[in-house]
Short mmCIF file of all heavy atoms in Angstrom, two decimals:
data_model
loop_
_atom_site.label_atom_id
_atom_site.label_comp_id
_atom_site.label_asym_id
_atom_site.label_seq_id
_atom_site.Cartn_x
_atom_site.Cartn_y
_atom_site.Cartn_z
N VAL A 930 14.10 -41.63 -17.83
CA VAL A 930 14.38 -41.68 -19.35
C VAL A 930 15.19 -40.44 -19.78
O VAL A 930 14.64 -39.32 -19.48
CB VAL A 930 12.97 -41.67 -20.09
CG1 VAL A 930 13.29 -41.76 -21.50
CG2 VAL A 930 12.23 -42.95 -19.70
N GLU A 932 16.91 -39.03 -23.23
CA GLU A 932 17.04 -39.43 -24.69
C GLU A 932 17.80 -38.21 -25.38
O GLU A 932 17.90 -37.10 -24.91
CB GLU A 932 15.78 -39.68 -25.26
CG GLU A 932 14.85 -38.54 -25.17
CD GLU A 932 13.44 -38.84 -25.77
OE1 GLU A 932 13.24 -39.94 -26.18
OE2 GLU A 932 12.68 -37.79 -25.90
N PRO A 934 17.48 -35.61 -28.16
CA PRO A 934 16.34 -34.96 -28.94
C PRO A 934 16.57 -34.97 -30.32
O PRO A 934 17.66 -34.97 -30.87
CB PRO A 934 16.36 -33.39 -28.31
CG PRO A 934 17.23 -33.53 -27.20
CD PRO A 934 18.20 -34.71 -27.29
N HIS A 939 17.20 -28.49 -28.84
CA HIS A 939 16.65 -28.95 -27.53
C HIS A 939 17.69 -29.70 -26.69
O HIS A 939 17.42 -30.44 -25.82
CB HIS A 939 15.53 -30.08 -27.82
CG HIS A 939 14.38 -29.38 -28.51
ND1 HIS A 939 13.56 -30.02 -29.49
CD2 HIS A 939 13.80 -28.23 -28.36
CE1 HIS A 939 12.65 -29.21 -29.90
NE2 HIS A 939 12.71 -28.12 -29.20
N PHE A 942 20.86 -33.69 -24.43
CA PHE A 942 20.07 -34.74 -23.93
C PHE A 942 18.85 -34.09 -23.41
O PHE A 942 18.84 -32.89 -23.02
CB PHE A 942 20.82 -35.55 -22.80
CG PHE A 942 21.99 -36.30 -23.35
CD1 PHE A 942 23.22 -35.82 -22.99
CD2 PHE A 942 21.81 -37.40 -24.09
CE1 PHE A 942 24.36 -36.47 -23.39
CE2 PHE A 942 22.99 -38.02 -24.52
CZ PHE A 942 24.19 -37.59 -24.26
N ALA A 943 17.71 -34.86 -23.22
CA ALA A 943 16.51 -34.32 -22.60
C ALA A 943 15.85 -35.44 -21.78
O ALA A 943 16.06 -36.62 -22.07
CB ALA A 943 15.60 -33.86 -23.68
N SER A 944 15.12 -34.91 -20.84
CA SER A 944 14.48 -35.92 -19.86
C SER A 944 13.11 -35.46 -19.70
O SER A 944 12.79 -34.27 -19.66
CB SER A 944 15.15 -36.02 -18.57
OG SER A 944 14.44 -36.97 -17.84
N ASN A 945 12.14 -36.46 -19.69
CA ASN A 945 10.80 -36.16 -19.43
C ASN A 945 10.30 -36.42 -18.09
O ASN A 945 9.13 -36.56 -17.86
CB ASN A 945 10.04 -36.96 -20.54
CG ASN A 945 10.12 -38.41 -20.36
OD1 ASN A 945 10.92 -38.80 -19.51
ND2 ASN A 945 9.47 -39.18 -21.06
N VAL A 946 11.18 -36.72 -17.14
CA VAL A 946 10.73 -37.10 -15.75
C VAL A 946 9.72 -36.23 -15.15
O VAL A 946 8.85 -36.67 -14.48
CB VAL A 946 11.96 -37.18 -14.73
CG1 VAL A 946 12.46 -38.61 -14.56
CG2 VAL A 946 13.01 -36.19 -15.07
N ALA A 947 9.94 -34.96 -15.42
CA ALA A 947 9.04 -34.04 -14.75
C ALA A 947 7.50 -34.25 -15.22
O ALA A 947 6.65 -34.17 -14.35
CB ALA A 947 9.45 -32.55 -15.11
N MET A 948 7.41 -34.52 -16.39
CA MET A 948 6.07 -34.86 -17.02
C MET A 948 5.46 -36.10 -16.41
O MET A 948 4.36 -36.24 -16.13
CB MET A 948 6.12 -34.87 -18.44
CG MET A 948 5.97 -33.46 -19.11
SD MET A 948 7.19 -33.01 -20.44
CE MET A 948 6.86 -34.27 -21.53
N PRO A 958 4.03 -29.93 -14.62
CA PRO A 958 5.31 -30.40 -15.03
C PRO A 958 6.37 -29.48 -14.92
O PRO A 958 7.55 -29.79 -14.48
CB PRO A 958 5.07 -30.85 -16.51
CG PRO A 958 3.69 -31.01 -16.65
CD PRO A 958 3.01 -30.06 -15.66
N ARG A 959 6.14 -28.16 -15.24
CA ARG A 959 7.27 -27.19 -15.22
C ARG A 959 7.70 -26.89 -13.81
O ARG A 959 8.88 -26.69 -13.60
CB ARG A 959 6.84 -25.91 -15.98
CG ARG A 959 6.58 -26.16 -17.43
CD ARG A 959 6.41 -24.77 -18.27
NE ARG A 959 7.64 -24.04 -18.27
CZ ARG A 959 8.37 -23.79 -19.41
NH1 ARG A 959 7.96 -24.43 -20.52
NH2 ARG A 959 9.45 -23.08 -19.47
N ALA A 962 9.86 -29.76 -12.81
CA ALA A 962 11.18 -29.53 -13.49
C ALA A 962 11.95 -28.56 -12.65
O ALA A 962 13.21 -28.69 -12.57
CB ALA A 962 10.86 -29.08 -14.94
N GLU A 963 11.37 -27.34 -12.34
CA GLU A 963 12.17 -26.27 -11.55
C GLU A 963 12.76 -26.87 -10.41
O GLU A 963 13.97 -26.68 -10.05
CB GLU A 963 11.06 -25.36 -11.06
CG GLU A 963 10.59 -24.30 -11.99
CD GLU A 963 11.67 -23.36 -12.60
OE1 GLU A 963 12.73 -23.34 -12.09
OE2 GLU A 963 11.42 -22.74 -13.60
N VAL A 966 15.79 -29.18 -11.29
CA VAL A 966 16.91 -28.41 -11.85
C VAL A 966 17.66 -27.78 -10.70
O VAL A 966 18.94 -27.71 -10.67
CB VAL A 966 16.48 -27.37 -12.88
CG1 VAL A 966 17.62 -26.46 -13.19
CG2 VAL A 966 15.98 -28.00 -14.15
N VAL A 978 21.32 -25.84 -18.42
CA VAL A 978 20.20 -26.81 -18.25
C VAL A 978 18.94 -25.94 -18.42
O VAL A 978 18.85 -24.99 -17.60
CB VAL A 978 20.27 -27.46 -16.91
CG1 VAL A 978 18.99 -28.28 -16.73
CG2 VAL A 978 21.47 -28.35 -16.82
N GLU A 979 18.08 -26.25 -19.22
CA GLU A 979 16.89 -25.38 -19.34
C GLU A 979 15.50 -26.17 -19.31
O GLU A 979 15.53 -27.34 -19.72
CB GLU A 979 16.91 -24.47 -20.40
CG GLU A 979 17.01 -25.17 -21.79
CD GLU A 979 17.24 -24.14 -22.97
OE1 GLU A 979 17.73 -23.04 -22.74
OE2 GLU A 979 16.82 -24.51 -24.19
N ILE A 980 14.47 -25.58 -18.93
CA ILE A 980 13.21 -26.20 -18.95
C ILE A 980 12.45 -25.69 -20.18
O ILE A 980 12.44 -24.46 -20.48
CB ILE A 980 12.47 -25.90 -17.68
CG1 ILE A 980 13.16 -26.39 -16.43
CG2 ILE A 980 10.97 -26.40 -17.74
CD1 ILE A 980 12.71 -25.79 -15.14
N ALA A 981 11.89 -26.64 -20.89
CA ALA A 981 11.38 -26.19 -22.26
C ALA A 981 10.08 -26.98 -22.57
O ALA A 981 9.72 -27.93 -21.93
CB ALA A 981 12.36 -26.51 -23.31
N GLY A 982 9.27 -26.34 -23.39
CA GLY A 982 8.00 -26.90 -23.85
C GLY A 982 7.13 -27.22 -22.67
O GLY A 982 7.05 -26.48 -21.72
N PRO A 983 6.42 -28.38 -22.70
CA PRO A 983 5.59 -28.72 -21.66
C PRO A 983 6.13 -29.14 -20.37
O PRO A 983 5.46 -29.32 -19.31
CB PRO A 983 4.78 -29.95 -22.30
CG PRO A 983 5.75 -30.57 -23.38
CD PRO A 983 6.50 -29.41 -23.80
N GLY A 984 7.51 -29.30 -20.34
CA GLY A 984 8.17 -29.61 -19.04
C GLY A 984 9.38 -30.47 -19.27
O GLY A 984 9.84 -31.19 -18.36
N PHE A 985 9.99 -30.40 -20.50
CA PHE A 985 11.16 -31.12 -20.71
C PHE A 985 12.33 -30.41 -19.93
O PHE A 985 12.41 -29.26 -19.80
CB PHE A 985 11.54 -31.18 -22.25
CG PHE A 985 10.67 -32.01 -23.09
CD1 PHE A 985 9.65 -31.43 -23.85
CD2 PHE A 985 10.81 -33.44 -23.08
CE1 PHE A 985 8.88 -32.27 -24.61
CE2 PHE A 985 9.99 -34.13 -23.86
CZ PHE A 985 9.03 -33.66 -24.68
N ILE A 986 13.34 -31.26 -19.54
CA ILE A 986 14.49 -30.62 -19.00
C ILE A 986 15.61 -30.90 -20.13
O ILE A 986 15.91 -32.14 -20.38
CB ILE A 986 14.97 -31.26 -17.69
CG1 ILE A 986 13.82 -31.20 -16.74
CG2 ILE A 986 16.16 -30.57 -17.18
CD1 ILE A 986 14.04 -31.92 -15.35
N ASN A 987 16.17 -29.82 -20.66
CA ASN A 987 17.08 -30.08 -21.68
C ASN A 987 18.50 -29.75 -21.13
O ASN A 987 18.81 -28.75 -20.51
CB ASN A 987 16.85 -29.09 -22.87
CG ASN A 987 15.53 -29.37 -23.50
OD1 ASN A 987 15.11 -30.52 -23.49
ND2 ASN A 987 14.93 -28.51 -24.29
N PHE A 988 19.45 -30.75 -21.50
CA PHE A 988 20.76 -30.59 -20.89
C PHE A 988 21.77 -30.24 -22.09
O PHE A 988 21.72 -30.85 -23.13
CB PHE A 988 21.22 -31.96 -20.35
CG PHE A 988 20.26 -32.36 -19.25
CD1 PHE A 988 19.21 -33.20 -19.45
CD2 PHE A 988 20.54 -31.94 -17.87
CE1 PHE A 988 18.33 -33.54 -18.44
CE2 PHE A 988 19.67 -32.38 -16.89
CZ PHE A 988 18.60 -33.18 -17.09
P G B 359 8.79 -41.54 -27.91
OP1 G B 359 9.05 -42.60 -28.91
OP2 G B 359 9.93 -41.10 -27.07
"O5'" G B 359 8.13 -40.37 -28.59
"C5'" G B 359 8.91 -39.29 -29.00
"C4'" G B 359 8.31 -37.95 -28.74
"O4'" G B 359 7.59 -38.02 -27.59
"C3'" G B 359 9.23 -36.81 -28.70
"O3'" G B 359 8.62 -35.70 -29.21
"C2'" G B 359 9.33 -36.62 -27.17
"O2'" G B 359 9.85 -35.40 -26.80
"C1'" G B 359 7.98 -36.88 -26.67
N9 G B 359 7.81 -37.36 -25.31
C8 G B 359 8.47 -38.40 -24.75
N7 G B 359 8.06 -38.54 -23.37
C5 G B 359 7.10 -37.57 -23.23
C6 G B 359 6.25 -37.34 -22.12
O6 G B 359 6.19 -37.91 -21.08
N1 G B 359 5.46 -36.19 -22.38
C2 G B 359 5.36 -35.53 -23.60
N2 G B 359 4.57 -34.55 -23.59
N3 G B 359 6.16 -35.80 -24.60
C4 G B 359 6.98 -36.80 -24.35
P A B 360 8.60 -35.46 -30.74
OP1 A B 360 7.63 -36.27 -31.38
OP2 A B 360 10.05 -35.53 -31.29
"O5'" A B 360 8.12 -33.88 -30.82
"C5'" A B 360 6.97 -33.56 -30.19
"C4'" A B 360 7.01 -32.02 -29.74
"O4'" A B 360 7.79 -31.96 -28.53
"C3'" A B 360 7.60 -31.17 -30.79
"O3'" A B 360 7.00 -29.89 -30.60
"C2'" A B 360 9.09 -30.98 -30.29
"O2'" A B 360 9.69 -29.88 -30.75
"C1'" A B 360 8.87 -31.11 -28.75
N9 A B 360 10.06 -31.60 -28.16
C8 A B 360 10.72 -32.74 -28.16
N7 A B 360 11.74 -32.84 -27.38
C5 A B 360 11.82 -31.76 -26.68
C6 A B 360 12.68 -31.24 -25.64
N6 A B 360 13.70 -31.87 -25.25
N1 A B 360 12.46 -29.95 -25.23
C2 A B 360 11.42 -29.37 -25.78
N3 A B 360 10.49 -29.65 -26.68
C4 A B 360 10.80 -30.93 -27.04
P U B 361 5.74 -29.74 -31.67
OP1 U B 361 5.11 -28.33 -31.31
OP2 U B 361 4.92 -30.95 -31.72
"O5'" U B 361 6.35 -29.51 -33.15
"C5'" U B 361 5.56 -29.35 -34.24
"C4'" U B 361 6.27 -29.27 -35.56
"O4'" U B 361 7.24 -28.06 -35.47
"C3'" U B 361 7.25 -30.47 -35.79
"O3'" U B 361 7.35 -30.71 -37.12
"C2'" U B 361 8.64 -29.93 -35.29
"O2'" U B 361 9.75 -30.59 -35.89
"C1'" U B 361 8.62 -28.55 -35.77
N1 U B 361 9.53 -27.67 -35.02
C2 U B 361 10.69 -27.22 -35.62
O2 U B 361 10.95 -27.68 -36.78
N3 U B 361 11.47 -26.40 -34.97
C4 U B 361 11.23 -25.99 -33.62
O4 U B 361 12.05 -25.31 -33.10
C5 U B 361 10.10 -26.37 -33.01
C6 U B 361 9.14 -27.12 -33.71
P C B 397 -3.25 -37.63 -18.47
OP1 C B 397 -2.43 -37.57 -17.30
OP2 C B 397 -4.75 -37.45 -18.29
"O5'" C B 397 -2.80 -36.52 -19.49
"C5'" C B 397 -3.46 -35.12 -19.56
"C4'" C B 397 -2.59 -34.30 -20.33
"O4'" C B 397 -1.31 -34.24 -19.66
"C3'" C B 397 -2.14 -34.68 -21.76
"O3'" C B 397 -3.17 -34.36 -22.69
"C2'" C B 397 -0.81 -34.00 -21.92
"O2'" C B 397 -1.06 -32.59 -22.29
"C1'" C B 397 -0.17 -34.04 -20.52
N1 C B 397 0.66 -35.13 -20.30
C2 C B 397 2.01 -35.15 -20.97
O2 C B 397 2.27 -34.13 -21.54
N3 C B 397 2.78 -36.13 -20.74
C4 C B 397 2.48 -37.14 -19.97
N4 C B 397 3.31 -38.16 -19.86
C5 C B 397 1.15 -37.28 -19.44
C6 C B 397 0.26 -36.21 -19.57
P G B 398 -3.55 -35.43 -23.84
OP1 G B 398 -4.55 -34.75 -24.75
OP2 G B 398 -3.86 -36.64 -23.19
"O5'" G B 398 -2.22 -35.62 -24.59
"C5'" G B 398 -1.69 -34.58 -25.54
"C4'" G B 398 -0.58 -34.96 -26.21
"O4'" G B 398 0.72 -34.98 -25.18
"C3'" G B 398 -0.40 -36.43 -26.64
"O3'" G B 398 -1.38 -36.72 -27.60
"C2'" G B 398 0.99 -36.55 -26.86
"O2'" G B 398 1.53 -35.85 -27.89
"C1'" G B 398 1.56 -36.02 -25.58
N9 G B 398 1.62 -37.00 -24.48
C8 G B 398 0.71 -37.28 -23.67
N7 G B 398 0.93 -38.31 -22.74
C5 G B 398 2.20 -38.72 -23.27
C6 G B 398 3.01 -39.72 -22.84
O6 G B 398 2.88 -40.59 -21.83
N1 G B 398 4.20 -39.79 -23.58
C2 G B 398 4.47 -39.02 -24.70
N2 G B 398 5.63 -39.25 -25.25
N3 G B 398 3.71 -38.06 -25.09
C4 G B 398 2.57 -38.05 -24.41
#
Side-chain angles (χ1 to χ4, degrees):
Chain A
V930 176
E932 56 179 11
H939 294 138
F942 297 107
S944 181
N945 62 356
V946 261
M948 274 131 62
R959 292 192 71 109
E963 283 297 346
V966 170
V978 176
E979 61 184 23
I980 298 162
F985 289 102
I986 306 175
N987 294 340
F988 302 92

